Amino acid sequence: MTTLVRPEQKAPPPHKRKGVTQQQRPLWLLTPGGILLILIVLIPLALAVYLSLLDLDQYTLRRWIEAPFIGLDNYVESFDSGLLHSIWISVSFSVLSTAVTVPIGIAAALVTQNAYRGRGLVRAAFLIPYVLPSFVVASVWRTMLQPDGVVNAWLSKVGVDGGLWLSGPKSYWTLVLVEIWAAWPFIYLMALAALQSVDHEVHEASAVDGVTWWPKLRRVILPYLRGPVLLACLLATLNHINNFTLPFVLFGAPAPDDVNVMPMLVYVTSFQSLRFGLSAAMAVVSLIIIAIPLYVYLRAVRLDVHEEGGRR
Amino acid sequence: MGKMRAATALAGATVLAVALTACGGGDDSGGGDGKTLNVLIGANTQYPDEFQAWQKDISAKFKAQTGAEVKFETFASANDELTKIQTSVVAGSGPDVYAVGTTFTPTAYSTGAFVKLGDDEWKKIGGKEKFNPATLGISGPDEQNQVGIPWVSRPFVMAYNTEILKAAGIDKPATTWDELGQQAKQMTKGDQYGLAIAYKDNFDPWKFVWGMSAQAGNPLVDGKTARLADPTVQKAYETYFGWLAQDKVVDPAAVGWTNPQAVAAFAKGKTGYFALTTTTAANSLNQGAVKGKWKFALLPTVPPGATSRPANGVEAASILSGDNLLVADYSKNKDLAFEYVKLVTDQEVQLDYYKKFGNLPANAAALQTLSSDETLGPVTEAAKKSVATPFTGAWSDIQLALTNVAVQSLPDLAKGSISPAQIESRVAEAQKSAQSALDRAK
C-alpha cells in the first residue's frame, strides 16, 4: 500500500505587490465625481437645511438672504401640519406596495424563465405597466374609478356597490392598488435578471440529484435571487415614497386626508401655501425619519456583495 | 426621500437663480430699436395654432410701433408660472411683463417685485378709464398700491338648457339660490337632473362658498381676521352640499366630477343648469347634444335662505376672474413694457383676442360692443358685476382651506348624508388655517 505523501511545500515568498498600495491609490481621479456630488447634492442639501431655518414665504422670497431666521420654528410647525400623518401614509403605502409586488414579480419572472412558445410576447406584455408614463397610468385609472366609471359598473353587475374610490378611506387602497399595478414589473425585471445569472450547472446538478420543483425553487433558486430582490425592495420602496405624479393625478390637490402622502404635502406647502421654509423643514424631517430605517435595512441585508473589497 | 428631492430641487432652483443674477441684466439703452421685451403668458392648449398666430401678429404690431421685438414665453400651468415668478423674483431678472390670474395677483403683489402704478404709468397705457371699472378691483390692495393692469375677463356664469327649463314650466332662470334649488327639483326626474356641479373640482367649491357668503354680507376676510367660522359660510356649504345630499337634484356621480366633466355631463342635454362656467366652455357645449338649446345666465346674487340681499350683502355675480398684466420691478425696459400693455389693452386688439379665444375684454369700450350680443349679454353683465376676492397674500391659503372642506366631505356626500356638525368641524379647521395664513401676512 502506498500512501501519497504530500510534498512539503515551502511557504511562498511574501508577494510583493507591484500595483499601487493603498496609500498610493489615485484618489484624485474621484475629483470630478466629488465636485459633482458637492454641487448637486451637498450644497442643495445644506441650502435646504438653511432654508428650513428661515421664515421664507412669498413675502420674504424676494430678499431671501434677509429672510428672518426663526431657528426651529418651522420644525415645530411641521409636526403640527400633519407631517407625521403624511409620513405614516407614505411609508405604510410604500412598504405595502413593495410587499405585494415582490411575490408577483418573482412569480412572473419564474413563469417566463423556461422557454416556451410565445414567451417573448408574455415578457413584452409584462412590461406594459412599467413603460407607461405615470401620468397616463393615473389618468386611465382615474377615469375607470369614477363613481359612474367602468369599475363600479362591473362591480354592480355582481351586486357590489363600489362606492367612492378617489375620495375618503378607500382612496388609500386605490393608491396602493394602482401603484402595485404600475410597479410590479420592476421587481419582475430584477428577479428575471437574477434568474438568468443562475449557472447552468446548478440546474444540471439539481436534475442529477432528482430534486423536485419546490425544494429546488426554495433551496436552490431563491437564494440566488436574494441579493437582487432585496436591492429591488429598497429601490422600489424609495420609488413608491417618491411618487408624486400618481397621487397628484389620481386625487388632485388638496388631496383627501387618507392619501396626503409626503410629496403631496410638500407640494401643497411649497406651491400653494408658498411656505418655502416650512416645506424645507418638512423635507429635512422626512429625510431623517426615512434615512434611519434605511440605514438599518442596508446594514441588515448587507447588499454590499463585494465584501472582500470592502474589508481591505 | 421624496422630501429630500423636493428640498433639493427647491434649493437647487434658488442656487441657480442666484447664479443667474450674475449673468442676467439686460441692456439699458434708450429707444426701442434692437431691444427685446420678454412677456410671460399662459399657454393656450385649446387653440395652440391660433395663439401662435396671435403672438406673431402682436409682435409685428409692436415692432412697427416701437422698433422693439416681443418675445413670448409660455407657461403650461399655474405652478409653472409660480416657479418662473419665484426664480425671477429671487434672481432679479426674467420676463418684463407677466400675465397673472386675478386670484393669484395678491400673491404676486406680496412679493413686492412688480411696478406700482402711479398716474404716469396709467397715463402711459391709456388711462384707468379705458377699463371696465369692475376689473380694477383686484389690481392692488387699494387705489394707491395697484400693480395689476386688467387684460382679459373670464367671469363665471351659469349655462341652462332652454328646453328642459321650458318643459318644466320655468320661464326665466333663477336669480336667488333658493329659487335655483327649487327649479332644480322641478326638473329632476328619471335620468334628468336639475343641476350639474363639479364637486371634485379643485377650484369650483370655494367660488360657490365665497359668492354666497359675500352676498350675505361676509367677504370672508375682514382686515386681519378670517371669518370662515360664520353662519353665512355654514349656510353656503349646507346649500352647496344639500343639492346632492338632501335635494338629490345632482347626478350622484358628480362627487367625482371636475369642471370639464361637469361640462361634458351638461353637454349631453340631460341637465337643467350647469352652475359654474365661463365663455370658454361654449365650444364644448356646441359640440354636444345640447347644441342650440343652451344659454348663459347670471349666477344668483341673493344668498341662500333669503328672498332679497341683506343691506350689507354684495351683488357678487362672479369672482373677479381673468388675467392681469404686471410689469416687473427689475425690468430694464419698463417704458416698452407699458407700451406693450397699452397695445394689448386697446379696443381693437381686445376684441380680436375675444374672437379668437373667447376671453372677454377688460377694455370697457370693447366690452360694450359685445353686450348687444344676445348670448353674451349675461356674461358681459357678470363681468361688470364681478367682485374681487379679498386682496391679501393669504388668499391662496384661504382658497385652499375652503376647497379642502369640500374635498374631505365627499365621502359623506356620496353616502347622502352630511350633518351640519360635520360641516361645522371642517369649517372650523379651515378657519384655523385661514387665520394662521392671515397672521403671517405682511
Side-chain angles (χ1 to χ4, degrees), chain B residues 181-203:
Chain B
Q182 196 49 50
Q183 293 186 356
K185 277 186 202 164
Q186 271 170 261
M187 292 183 284
T188 303
K189 56 179 178 202
D191 64 345
Q192 177 177 303
Y193 290 97
L195 273 174
I197 304 280
Y199 281 107
K200 201 172 161 56
D201 195 84
N202 288 329
F203 299 95

Side-chain angles (χ1 to χ4, degrees), chain A residues 1-290:
Chain A
M1 201 158 82
T2 54
T3 50
L4 282 174
V5 178
R6 185 180 280 222
E8 223 173 275
Q9 270 187 354
K10 275 186 189 165
H15 182 71
K16 267 222 165 149
R17 300 186 64 182
K18 286 278 162 63
V20 286
T21 65
Q22 192 153 6
Q23 282 75 32
Q24 292 168 327
R25 281 179 301 176
L27 286 177
W28 61 270
L29 285 175
L30 292 175
T31 324
I35 291 176
L36 269 181
L37 199 68
I38 291 173
L39 272 181
I40 63 178
V41 177
L42 291 183
I43 293 183
L45 187 64
L47 257 174
V49 173
Y50 178 63
L51 293 188
S52 73
L53 304 172
L54 301 179
D55 180 15
L56 189 63
D57 53 18
Q58 75 265 40
Y59 309 104
T60 51
L61 181 66
R62 195 181 180 196
R63 303 186 196 291
W64 69 279
I65 304 259
E66 296 159 28
F69 185 87
I70 52 168
L72 296 178
D73 286 8
N74 281 329
Y75 288 88
V76 176
E77 191 178 347
S78 69
F79 285 101
D80 286 341
S81 318
L83 178 63
L84 289 179
H85 175 69
S86 288
I87 292 179
W88 162 242
I89 290 179
S90 276
V91 171
S92 66
F93 142 73
S94 308
V95 171
L96 203 60
S97 305
T98 305
V100 178
T101 48
V102 166
I104 301 177
I106 294 178
L110 290 171
V111 165
T112 54
Q113 164 69 1
N114 294 329
Y116 51 84
R117 261 185 113 185
R119 182 178 68 163
L121 208 65
V122 174
R123 281 189 173 173
F126 279 0
L127 286 181
I128 290 175
Y130 197 61
V131 294
L132 287 177
S134 218
F135 181 83
V136 175
V137 171
S139 303
V140 170
W141 277 95
R142 186 189 166 118
T143 310
M144 295 199 304
L145 291 169
Q146 288 294 314
D148 54 351
V150 282
V151 172
N152 278 358
W154 288 335
L155 286 176
S156 69
K157 271 185 196 157
V158 293
V160 178
D161 177 18
L164 279 189
W165 295 100
L166 301 172
S167 303
K170 229 189 283 172
S171 58
Y172 177 81
W173 299 106
T174 301
L175 184 62
V176 173
L177 178 84
V178 178
E179 181 77 14
I180 290 170
W181 187 87
W184 69 266
F186 175 67
I187 308 277
Y188 154 71
L189 278 180
M190 298 285 278
L192 193 63
L195 278 179
Q196 318 256 307
S197 73
V198 176
D199 294 331
H200 197 56
E201 291 81 359
V202 173
H203 290 292
E204 283 175 359
S206 318
V208 168
D209 286 344
V211 188
T212 53
W213 73 274
W214 174 246
K216 177 182 168 189
L217 180 64
R218 223 172 72 82
R219 301 191 185 273
V220 182
I221 304 298
L222 287 186
Y224 270 89
L225 297 187
R226 185 181 173 273
V229 168
L230 285 176
L231 178 65
C233 284
L234 177 72
L235 296 178
T237 308
L238 291 181
N239 277 337
H240 300 324
I241 290 189
N242 269 335
N243 200 340
F244 168 72
T245 314
L246 196 65
F248 182 69
V249 178
L250 271 177
F251 309 109
D257 282 341
D258 311 84
V259 284
N260 203 4
V261 289
M262 287 192 309
M264 289 292 284
L265 182 70
V266 171
Y267 169 79
V268 169
T269 310
S270 283
F271 296 108
Q272 297 203 337
S273 294
L274 311 164
R275 307 279 315 271
F276 308 109
L278 179 62
S279 62
M282 289 174 168
V284 173
V285 172
S286 328
L287 176 66
I288 295 170
I289 290 187
I290 290 162

Side-chain angles (χ1 to χ4, degrees), chain B residues 259-301:
Chain B
N259 193 283
Q261 286 171 287
V263 174
F266 177 78
K268 285 180 193 154
K270 292 276 184 186
T271 318
Y273 284 103
F274 173 30
L276 198 73
T277 188
T278 69
T279 43
T280 51
N283 271 359
S284 310
L285 297 182
N286 284 334
Q287 284 159 17
V290 80
K291 185 181 178 193
K293 299 184 236 169
W294 65 273
K295 277 185 179 167
F296 285 128
L298 218 55
L299 279 154
T301 50

